[in-house]
């Protein structure tokens, strides 16, 4: 018999507005039925007079649900939390304590960490230290069967939680939040992580806790930040959810990945940052704000900053490797057919494909010499992503969706093919099915990888691969082990199921005169100009 889920509520900063909160809870329970617990993060007490609290403390008023709260985040609130190990504050209202694990009779495991981050000794009564975080991790993660926890409660946001995710609004997650909380979340792998203090609501896309194709699948984590109770902007401060304790779940059901799952925002070159140290800012240290983690191949003699840890010299941008011979695609090379170039950025350029599947079939190419996407430097990746976004907008305005693919096999310079497909021709699912079907027919193992996956974590530099990126962000990936049909991407897109131009599957059969190419290039430049982000620089 399936375990009945627990019904829980999570709340942001109450700030002393107890009546507002509990009246809202009563209304919800009247409409939707009773909940099992209310979990409060952030500032439970406010700077308002204590008259309202006294009514709950003396029993004149009573919380309508068993309520668990975190401790002080400032000196003013310390007086309410006298027992560091937790205690009952009022009937149905319990202070969990400074840090620890609460395990319910159902087996639900809730880890809590009260206060804000402090790296100074002695640690104030309203803060946590690196030692606090380290002890929590050691206590839980040292057991051989540890898989994660059900819920993590902290008041501060984890730093960098917005990496790879949806927009966090006005909160800059690269500057705001606690790196210690990020480290704790990385180690504990909570299924839900709640935080507050920023007076806004942010439900991040779920993120995975494993490396795709390299580690066994693990459950995903959902981070939810909640606003302050009764805020005038009516931002969400109460979150209802159902959960079956992890220990009671079927393993396959537990690790099932949501369709919108993203890369882990805290992962740094496949390693966790050390507890007690600030996690290096991704925008300074790596390309983690993009889809690719680019520093793993730098070796171990250097730090991930690209410089010796003791060196006083600032980091210098890494130069691309030089080609061993003439290259048809390095922009500075005399071999480049420059009449096909239609747009030039700082690190990348666009060119019409020679023998393209359509008049607006283009390539995104790095100006310097890089063999594949996984070898690109951070600044090149950023511009590749800009071109992708811009081209999607451009083609959408013309009633088309664009499909991208890369074949890192028997090629020397990255060519990211961008092929527009009229919206009237077929749906994205049809295109996806066509790739999968033709791959099966040719005994090619084409794996579907999650939308926000990191290609670098699947294919190492130098490895041969083929991948397709659909307009929805979905990706299909094949690791090339021996032979691979060079025209596979074109053949699928040229097939009857998609563009219905099978005679154009080989680019050599589609070549036109230089004059015709120049005409198409001039037309593309003119049409693309309103979308050209390089003109903003």
């Amino acid at each position: 018999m399936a375990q009945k889920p627990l019904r829980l509520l999570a709340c942001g900063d109450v700030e002393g507005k107890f009546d507002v909160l509990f009246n809202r809870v009563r209304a919800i329970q009247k409409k939707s039925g009773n909940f099992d617990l209310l979990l409060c993060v952030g500032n439970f007490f406010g700077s308002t007079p204590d008259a309202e609290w006294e009514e709950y403390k003396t029993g004149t008023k009573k919380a309508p649900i068993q309520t668990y709260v975190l401790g002080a985040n400032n000196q003013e609130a310390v007086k309410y939390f006298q027992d560091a190990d937790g205690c009952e504050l009022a009937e149905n209202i319990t202070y969990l304590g400074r840090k620890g694990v609460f395990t319910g009779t159902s087996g639900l495991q809730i880890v809590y960490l009260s206060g804000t981050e402090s790296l100074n000794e002695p640690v104030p009564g309203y803060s946590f230290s690196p030692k606090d975080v380290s002890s929590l991790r050691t206590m839980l993660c040292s057991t051989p069967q540890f898989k994660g926890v059900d819920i993590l409660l902290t008041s501060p946001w984890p730093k960098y939680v917005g990496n790879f995710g949806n927009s966090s609004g006005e909160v800059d997650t690269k500057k705001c939040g606690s790196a210690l909380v990020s480290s704790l979340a990385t180690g504990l792998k909570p299924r839900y992580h709640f935080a507050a203090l920023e007076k806004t609501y942010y439900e991040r896309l779920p993120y995975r806790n494993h490396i795709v194709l390299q580690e066994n699948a693990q459950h995903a984590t959902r981070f939810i930040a909640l606003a302050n109770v009764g805020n005038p902007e009516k931002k969400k401060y109460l979150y209802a959810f159902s959960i079956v304790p992890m220990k009671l779940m079927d393993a396959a059901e537990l690790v099932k990945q949501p369709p919108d799952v993203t890369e882990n925002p805290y992962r740094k070159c496949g390693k966790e940052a050390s507890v007690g140290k600030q996690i290096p800012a991704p925008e300074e240290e790596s390309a983690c704000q993009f889809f690719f983690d680019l520093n793993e191949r730098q070796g171990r003699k250097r730090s991930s900053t690209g410089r010796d840890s003791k060196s006083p010299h600032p980091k210098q941008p890494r130069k691309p490797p030089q080609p061993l011979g003439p290259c048809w695609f390095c922009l500075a090379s005399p071999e480049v057919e420059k009449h096909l170039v239609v747009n030039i950025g700082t690190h990348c350029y666009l060119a019409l494909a020679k023998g393209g599947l359509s008049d607006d079939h283009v390539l995104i190419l790095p100006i310097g010499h890089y063999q594949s996407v996984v070898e690109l430097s951070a600044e090149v990746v950023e511009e590749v992503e800009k071109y992708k976004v811009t081209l999607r907008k451009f083609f959408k305005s013309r009633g088309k969706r664009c499909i991208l693919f890369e074949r890192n096999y028997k090629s020397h310079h990255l060519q990211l093919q961008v092929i527009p497909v009229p919206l009237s021709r077929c749906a994205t699912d049809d295109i996806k099915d066509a790739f999968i079907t033709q791959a099966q027919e040719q005994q090619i193992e084409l794996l579907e990888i999650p939308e926000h996956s990191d290609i670098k974590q699947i294919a190492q530099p130098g490895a041969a691969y083929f991948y397709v990126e659909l307009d929805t962000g979905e990706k299909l990936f094949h690791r090339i082990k021996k032979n691979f049909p060079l025209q596979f991407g074109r053949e699928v897109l040229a097939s009857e199921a998609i563009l219905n131009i099978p005679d154009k599957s080989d680019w050599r059969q589609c070549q036109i005169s230089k004059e015709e190419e120049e005409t198409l290039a001039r037309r593309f430049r003119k049409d693309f100009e309103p979308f050209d982000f390089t003109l903003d620089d």
Side-chain angles (χ1 to χ4, degrees), residues 315-462:
K315 173 179 151 187
Q316 297 297 321
R318 180 165 56 86
K319 293 181 179 179
Q322 297 304 305
L324 299 177
C327 178
W328 290 94
F329 299 103
C330 288
L331 192 57
S333 170
E335 279 78 13
V336 171
E337 296 193 51
K338 292 187 170 59
H339 67 282
L340 293 172
V341 176
V342 292
N343 190 265
I344 301 176
T346 307
H347 306 288
C348 303
Y349 70 99
L350 287 185
L352 285 183
K354 196 168 186 67
L357 282 169
S358 61
D359 291 349
D360 43 7
H361 174 175
V362 293
L363 310 177
I364 303 174
L365 305 119
I367 290 173
H369 188 75
Y370 294 92
Q371 182 171 328
S372 69
V373 159
V374 299
E375 297 190 12
L376 296 179
S377 63
E379 61 271 15
V380 183
V381 172
E382 181 177 19
E383 197 159 89
V384 167
E385 293 304 319
K386 277 188 177 180
Y387 270 121
K388 284 184 186 179
V389 170
T390 305
L391 285 168
R392 286 189 183 109
K393 290 178 181 176
F394 169 67
F395 286 122
K396 186 177 181 181
S397 74
R398 305 175 76 80
K400 301 177 182 181
R401 58 170 55 89
C402 62
I403 308 302
L404 296 88
F405 72 81
E406 178 198 2
R407 186 199 75 231
N408 183 33
Y409 173 71
K410 294 190 176 181
S411 59
H412 301 287
H413 189 113
L414 167 63
Q415 303 161 55
L416 194 56
Q417 307 272 345
V418 185
I419 299 93
V421 177
L423 295 173
S424 57
R425 280 291 312 164
C426 53
T428 302
D429 283 345
D430 297 328
I431 298 172
K432 180 178 172 182
D433 290 344
F435 270 101
I436 292 172
T437 300
Q438 293 202 36
Q440 290 172 342
E441 289 174 357
Q442 299 188 48
Q443 297 183 319
I444 295 169
E445 186 182 25
L446 199 58
L447 300 173
E448 184 175 350
I449 60 176
E451 177 183 347
H452 300 279
S453 57
D454 186 343
I455 297 294
K456 167 65 177 175
Q457 293 180 334
I458 299 172
Q460 299 302 314

Side-chain angles (χ1 to χ4, degrees), residues 148-163:
V149 300
D150 290 304
I151 298 171
L152 173 61
L153 304 178
T154 64
S155 286
W157 289 29
K159 204 168 189 179
Y160 312 125
V161 70
N163 286 347

Side-chain angles (χ1 to χ4, degrees), residues 131-315:
K131 289 180 181 177
D132 291 323
V133 171
S134 180
S135 66
L136 264 179
R137 284 184 55 150
T138 302
M139 176 174 62
L140 288 155
C141 302
S142 57
T143 58
Q145 301 302 316
F146 178 76
K147 294 180 180 179
V149 300
D150 290 304
I151 298 171
L152 173 61
L153 304 178
T154 64
S155 286
W157 289 29
K159 204 168 189 179
Y160 312 125
V161 70
N163 286 347
F164 304 120
N166 45 316
S167 171
S168 53
E170 296 178 1
V171 179
D172 185 348
T173 60
K174 293 180 176 65
K175 297 177 181 177
C176 155
S178 163
L180 289 177
V181 171
S182 304
S183 176
L184 185 63
T186 303
L188 298 190
K189 304 172 187 174
R191 293 164 65 199
Y192 284 87
H193 180 182
F194 294 97
L197 297 184
E198 299 300 329
K199 299 187 182 300
T200 193
Y201 170 71
Y202 172 50
E203 183 170 3
R204 191 202 184 280
L205 291 171
Y207 65 83
R208 67 176 69 88
N209 286 294
H210 64 278
I211 301 175
V212 177
L213 301 183
Q214 291 187 25
E215 296 176 341
N216 291 333
Q218 299 180 45
H219 59 270
T221 294
R222 299 176 186 274
F223 172 76
I224 296 118
L226 295 161
N228 48 313
V229 170
N231 65 87
E233 298 88 3
K234 299 190 182 303
K235 294 177 181 177
K236 188 170 184 174
Y237 64 82
L238 207 53
Y239 184 92
F241 65 110
S242 298
I243 185 170
V244 173
M246 173 185 293
K247 63 187 297 182
L248 301 177
M249 288 188 68
D250 174 72
E253 187 67 25
L254 177 65
V255 302
K256 191 176 290 184
Q257 301 293 294
D260 54 352
V261 70
T262 79
E263 206 46 68
N264 189 308
Y266 317 123
R267 194 178 295 281
K268 175 97 173 69
C269 301
K271 292 190 172 184
E272 299 170 19
S274 300
V275 177
K277 297 179 181 179
Q278 292 289 333
I279 296 175
E283 74 275 19
E284 297 169 356
E285 304 291 350
S286 76
C288 289
Q289 68 269 43
F290 314 117
F291 288 132
F292 314 100
D293 186 353
L294 300 164
N295 289 315
E296 189 172 323
R297 64 193 176 88
Q298 297 285 348
R300 294 291 172 263
K301 293 182 181 178
R302 287 170 165 258
S303 70
S304 59
T305 61
R307 60 179 182 271
D308 212 292
S309 58
K310 296 181 181 178
S311 171
H313 301 296
K315 173 179 151 187

